[in-house]
Amino acid sequence: MGYGEKRGDYWRARYKTAPGKYGTLADANGEVMRFRTKRAAEQAAEEEEAKVCGGRWHDPSGGQITFGEYASRWYRGQDLALSTMQNYRRHIEEHLLPQFNDAEVGTITKLDVDAWEKLERERGYAQSSVKTWRSTLHLILGDAVDDGLREVNPATKRRGRGKRAGRSRNRGPEKVITDALGVLLVAERAALLSGRDDEFVAVVLKAYTGMRWGEIVGLETQYLRPSAVRVEWQLYELDTGELHRCPPKDDSYRTIDTPEWLSGLLSAHVSRKQAKPCSCHGLTFAFSGHGTANGTAHRPGAKLVDVARRAGVSSGTVSNVLNRPATVPESTRLKVEAAVAELGYVRNGSAGKEADHWRRSGFAPWLFHPATTGVYPRRAPYDAHPVPLLAEPWPGLPARGRGASKRAEACWVPIAPGLTPHGLRHTHKSIMEEMGTPPKLMDERLGHEDGSVQSRYSHVTPAMRRRLMEALTEQWEEALALRRKMAPGSPVVALDELLKPPQASDPGRAIPRSSPNFLPKPPRKRGRAGLPEGKTGPDLQCHQSGWRDLNPRPLRPERSALPSCATPRCNEDYSSGPGRWDEIRFPGGVAAVQVRGGRGRGCRGCGGCRGGDGGGGAGAVLVPAGLWVGRLVLTRRTRAVRSAAYEWSLWVIG
C-alpha cells in the first residue's frame, strides 16, 4: 500500500514496485514530485501502485536507454525475410539514427517526430517514402511501449490532424501501360540493344503472364511446363549485390497458364540457349544476365585488337569489315574473316564471361528505358542522348563503339515513355480487364489473394482459362500482323521466325493455333464429290492460316440418319417431327456437321440411338460457315432430349 513520506517542507509519494522494493513518484523529467499535504502524497502513491498491480506501470529508469542502442537491439531481435531486414536497416541507418540516435527513448515526444518528418519532406524526399520511414519508427517505438520503456507511442498519427490538401497530397505519377503491339516493339528493341534473344523472350513473357521481376530472373528451366509456367522461387537482389533465392512475394506459389505460341517461344529459347548452371546457385535458369561478370572484362580473350593483329591490319580496318564490308578489298576482308573465325571473336560481345543474372541497375536504365523511349539515360559525364542507329535493317541496329553518334543514320521514336518493367505487370492486368476476365482468374495469375466473401465462393473453370488463352493469342497474332506490315523481317532471330509467313508446302510446320472464331475464311475452289448440291467446298488442305484438315471429310448423311428421338430445330424455333435436318442459318453460308450422339437424360428411347439410351447414334446438322475445323462439345436443351451432350465433327461446305 502506498504512503506519503515527510521530506523537510514537502511530502513525497512512495509506492510498492516489488516485494521489499519501493519507488518514488517522479515526473517525466525524472524529478521527484513534491506534495504539500500527506493526503495528496498518499493518493498519488495509491494510484501509482494500482498501475503496478494492473500491469500498466512502466519503470521510468528504463526509458533512459538511447534510441540508437534500443534500435540496434530491436533489429537484432527480428526474424524476417532478408528483403524486409534490408529495408529496415536502410530506414534506421539512413533516416532515423541521424535524428534520434542520442535521444533517450523515454524523452522522444510527438513534436520531435513531427519536426523530423517535416525536415525529411523539405529535403525533397517523396511523401510515400517519408510515410514508410515513419511507419518503421512507429513500429520500433511501439515495441518500446510493450517493453515498458514508454507509456505511449509518440509516432502514432491521429486521423484528421495535419495539413489538409485533398486526395492529391499522396498522389503519385500515373502508371504507364502499353498494348500488345507496344510490348512486341519494346521487346524487339531490348533484344537489339543486348544483341541476343533473352530480352525479347523475357519482356514478352512478363507482359503475357504478369510475373514479377524477381520471378522472371529466378525462373528455372525445371519449372517450365508444356502449357504453363510454375512460380516456385524468385531471386531478390540485396544491397550487397548478392542474389538471394527465396519464395515468391507473400508465398504466392502458382501455375500460370501460357498460350501455345508462348510455350513454343520459351521452349525454343531454352533449346537454343543450352544454358548451364549458374556459379552462384548451381541451378539452370531460363535467362542469364547481360554484360560481363565482375572482373571478366579484364581477363584475356578475343578482342577487336586481337583480330587486327592476327590479320595484320588496323583496328579500323576490322571495324570496316564488320560494319561496311563493301568498302574493304576482298583479299583484306577474307584475312579478317579468317582471323575472326580462328579467334572465335563475337561481334558486339564481350571477351569475358557473361553475367549469371540480370541486375536492376543494368536492365532497366540501359536496356528497357532506351527501348521504350529511344534515349539513353544521363550518365556522368555524358548527358542523355538518343540511341544511335544504323538504318538498315529495320527497325535499325544500335551503332556501338567509338564515334557511334557520328556513324548513326537514324534514331528511335518513343513507344511508351515512362513504362517500367513493373508496368508490364500492370499492362497484363489491364489487358485481362479489357477482355472481361473473371477477377478470380486475374488474382490467380498475378499472385494476389482476395479475402472477400465473393472471392471465396468464386472458382476458376477450364472454360475461363481457355477463353483467356484464345483472347491472348488473338491479340498476339494481331500484333504480329501489324509488325509484319512495318517490315517483313527482324534482326532478332526469335521474332524473325515468328514473322515468316506459314509455309503451305511444309505440313509439319508448327503454327500457333488461333481462336476458332477468328480464322480467315478459306479459299473457295471447285466442288467435290459428296458435297450437297449447289455448294462448293474449300481446300482444307491449304488454309490461309496454314491449317490442314487432318480429319477425312464425311459424306453428307441421309436425313434418316438422325435419331428419331432428336427434336429438330429450324430458324431458332423448335418444331415437331423427327428425321429433319437441324438447320441454323447465319450470314455467310452453312456447314455440315457429323454428329455422334452423347448420353442424354429424358430420352424417349425410340431406338434411333444405340440401345435406345441416347448414346451412339449419328446424325447431321448445319452450322455457320467459317468455323474452325475440329471437334466441339455442345450441350443443348430440347423438349425431347434434355442436357444431351454431342460431339460435333465439323467440315465447312459453305
Side-chain angles (χ1 to χ4, degrees), residues 369-582:
H369 178 78
T372 57
T373 63
V375 177
Y376 281 122
R378 181 181 181 276
R379 183 177 183 180
Y382 305 104
D383 294 329
H385 59 280
V387 178
L389 299 176
L390 303 177
E392 295 296 335
W394 198 91
L397 293 175
R400 308 178 191 276
R402 186 175 301 175
S405 299
K406 297 180 180 179
R407 293 185 282 109
E409 302 169 347
C411 62
W412 283 327
V413 297
I415 296 176
L419 181 67
T420 62
H422 186 72
L424 295 178
R425 185 169 160 87
H426 287 246
T427 297
H428 185 62
K429 175 66 179 295
S430 301
I431 289 176
M432 290 192 294
E433 291 274 10
E434 189 179 66
M435 295 174 178
T437 306
K440 186 74 172 181
L441 181 55
M442 290 191 291
D443 290 340
E444 178 189 278
R445 292 179 67 84
L446 296 175
H448 294 162
E449 185 176 354
D450 185 0
S452 64
V453 176
Q454 291 82 358
S455 176
R456 180 178 294 274
Y457 283 87
S458 299
H459 303 277
V460 178
T461 64
M464 295 178 186
R465 302 181 188 274
R466 184 173 60 254
R467 285 194 295 268
L468 177 59
M469 295 300 101
E470 292 173 354
L472 292 177
T473 299
E474 178 195 346
Q475 279 209 353
W476 172 253
E477 292 182 348
E478 290 177 354
L480 281 180
L482 293 174
R483 171 60 180 83
R484 195 178 290 113
K485 291 180 180 179
M486 299 176 183
S490 173
V492 180
V493 177
L495 179 57
D496 190 61
E497 291 292 328
L498 295 170
L499 292 176
K500 290 180 180 178
Q503 301 294 330
S505 59
D506 184 8
R509 178 178 173 83
I511 304 295
R513 181 169 297 184
S514 300
S515 172
N517 298 324
F518 296 96
L519 283 178
K521 200 169 184 179
R524 297 181 177 272
K525 292 189 177 180
R526 299 188 334 184
R528 295 184 178 183
L531 294 179
E533 297 77 13
K535 298 291 184 180
T536 60
D539 183 3
L540 296 182
Q541 300 294 328
C542 179
H543 266 265
Q544 290 180 356
S545 62
W547 286 102
R548 299 173 64 251
D549 182 15
L550 302 180
N551 299 323
R553 297 191 178 201
L555 297 178
R556 177 174 178 177
E558 298 296 333
R559 295 186 178 182
S560 59
L562 199 66
S564 59
C565 66
T567 301
R569 181 183 180 192
C570 183
N571 296 330
E572 300 296 332
D573 296 325
Y574 292 111
S575 60
S576 59
R580 296 181 53 187
W581 283 85
D582 190 2

Side-chain angles (χ1 to χ4, degrees), residues 197-496:
D197 290 347
D198 289 58
E199 284 68 22
F200 175 81
V201 179
V203 170
V204 173
L205 177 65
K206 186 169 178 59
Y208 280 87
T209 60
M211 295 173 64
R212 300 181 178 94
W213 165 257
E215 295 167 352
I216 292 285
V217 177
L219 179 60
E220 303 171 25
T221 55
Q222 62 175 322
Y223 295 118
L224 298 179
R225 305 288 187 260
S227 59
V229 173
R230 178 66 186 170
V231 177
E232 284 285 341
W233 299 96
Q234 67 166 332
L235 289 183
Y236 187 88
E237 185 177 354
L238 302 176
D239 290 342
T240 58
E242 175 189 358
L243 286 165
H244 176 59
R245 183 172 181 258
C246 56
K249 182 179 180 181
D250 299 329
D251 292 336
S252 54
Y253 305 99
R254 61 197 186 278
T255 299
I256 305 176
D257 299 319
T258 55
E260 186 175 347
W261 61 266
L262 183 54
S263 299
L265 183 65
L266 269 174
S267 60
H269 166 72
V270 173
S271 300
R272 183 169 55 248
K273 186 179 181 62
Q274 296 181 352
K276 298 180 180 179
C278 67
S279 58
C280 50
H281 301 92
L283 301 171
T284 304
F285 293 87
F287 306 103
S288 60
H290 172 253
T292 56
N294 293 336
T296 58
H298 304 288
R299 298 174 186 171
K303 303 180 178 65
L304 190 71
V305 65
D306 299 325
V307 176
R309 291 170 181 169
R310 177 62 63 90
V313 297
S314 66
S315 300
T317 302
V318 177
S319 178
N320 288 334
V321 171
L322 297 176
N323 297 294
R324 294 176 295 274
T327 63
V328 182
E330 184 178 0
S331 58
T332 304
R333 180 175 57 82
L334 293 177
K335 288 194 301 182
V336 172
E337 291 176 352
V340 169
E342 292 175 6
L343 297 176
Y345 173 75
V346 179
R347 183 184 180 185
N348 296 332
S350 60
K353 177 186 175 183
E354 195 175 55
D356 289 324
H357 306 286
W358 281 308
R359 301 284 178 173
R360 287 183 181 271
S361 58
F363 182 86
W366 302 114
L367 292 177
F368 197 84
H369 178 78
T372 57
T373 63
V375 177
Y376 281 122
R378 181 181 181 276
R379 183 177 183 180
Y382 305 104
D383 294 329
H385 59 280
V387 178
L389 299 176
L390 303 177
E392 295 296 335
W394 198 91
L397 293 175
R400 308 178 191 276
R402 186 175 301 175
S405 299
K406 297 180 180 179
R407 293 185 282 109
E409 302 169 347
C411 62
W412 283 327
V413 297
I415 296 176
L419 181 67
T420 62
H422 186 72
L424 295 178
R425 185 169 160 87
H426 287 246
T427 297
H428 185 62
K429 175 66 179 295
S430 301
I431 289 176
M432 290 192 294
E433 291 274 10
E434 189 179 66
M435 295 174 178
T437 306
K440 186 74 172 181
L441 181 55
M442 290 191 291
D443 290 340
E444 178 189 278
R445 292 179 67 84
L446 296 175
H448 294 162
E449 185 176 354
D450 185 0
S452 64
V453 176
Q454 291 82 358
S455 176
R456 180 178 294 274
Y457 283 87
S458 299
H459 303 277
V460 178
T461 64
M464 295 178 186
R465 302 181 188 274
R466 184 173 60 254
R467 285 194 295 268
L468 177 59
M469 295 300 101
E470 292 173 354
L472 292 177
T473 299
E474 178 195 346
Q475 279 209 353
W476 172 253
E477 292 182 348
E478 290 177 354
L480 281 180
L482 293 174
R483 171 60 180 83
R484 195 178 290 113
K485 291 180 180 179
M486 299 176 183
S490 173
V492 180
V493 177
L495 179 57
D496 190 61

Side-chain angles (χ1 to χ4, degrees), residues 40-257:
E42 289 177 348
Q43 289 180 349
E46 290 176 357
E47 291 177 359
E48 196 70 13
E49 193 166 318
K51 294 181 180 180
V52 176
C53 297
R56 296 178 286 108
W57 178 78
H58 302 281
D59 187 0
S61 62
Q64 296 177 0
I65 184 175
T66 63
F67 178 84
E69 295 175 0
Y70 182 76
S72 299
R73 190 173 69 186
W74 177 88
Y75 181 82
R76 290 193 300 269
Q78 304 303 307
D79 185 17
L80 303 171
L82 287 180
S83 57
T84 306
M85 297 296 292
Q86 174 182 273
N87 292 334
Y88 281 162
R89 181 174 181 176
R90 188 186 301 119
H91 299 168
I92 294 172
E93 293 182 350
E94 298 179 5
H95 302 282
L96 299 183
L97 291 185
Q99 180 71 19
F100 301 108
N101 182 54
D102 298 328
E104 295 182 355
V105 173
T107 61
I108 298 176
T109 64
K110 186 179 184 302
L111 293 177
D112 297 333
V113 176
D114 292 340
W116 162 79
E117 181 180 1
K118 181 179 179 181
L119 181 62
E120 292 292 297
R121 289 198 302 267
E122 292 175 350
R123 291 174 178 171
Y125 293 113
Q127 176 67 21
S128 58
S129 300
V130 178
K131 183 178 180 181
T132 302
W133 303 333
R134 178 159 182 157
S135 298
T136 304
L137 178 62
H138 181 274
L139 186 62
I140 296 174
L141 295 180
D143 287 349
V145 172
D146 295 338
D147 292 340
L149 305 182
R150 294 186 58 94
E151 292 188 4
V152 295
N153 189 341
T156 301
K157 203 164 188 177
R158 291 176 56 188
R159 298 185 61 181
R161 297 292 299 274
K163 185 176 181 180
R164 294 180 179 271
R167 296 183 179 181
S168 63
R169 180 170 177 80
N170 296 327
R171 185 176 64 88
E174 183 179 1
K175 203 69 176 179
V176 178
I177 62 174
T178 185
D179 55 8
L181 180 60
V183 170
L184 182 60
L185 296 178
V186 169
E188 181 181 18
R189 288 184 178 183
L192 291 173
L193 289 167
S194 66
R196 57 182 194 162
D197 290 347
D198 289 58
E199 284 68 22
F200 175 81
V201 179
V203 170
V204 173
L205 177 65
K206 186 169 178 59
Y208 280 87
T209 60
M211 295 173 64
R212 300 181 178 94
W213 165 257
E215 295 167 352
I216 292 285
V217 177
L219 179 60
E220 303 171 25
T221 55
Q222 62 175 322
Y223 295 118
L224 298 179
R225 305 288 187 260
S227 59
V229 173
R230 178 66 186 170
V231 177
E232 284 285 341
W233 299 96
Q234 67 166 332
L235 289 183
Y236 187 88
E237 185 177 354
L238 302 176
D239 290 342
T240 58
E242 175 189 358
L243 286 165
H244 176 59
R245 183 172 181 258
C246 56
K249 182 179 180 181
D250 299 329
D251 292 336
S252 54
Y253 305 99
R254 61 197 186 278
T255 299
I256 305 176
D257 299 319

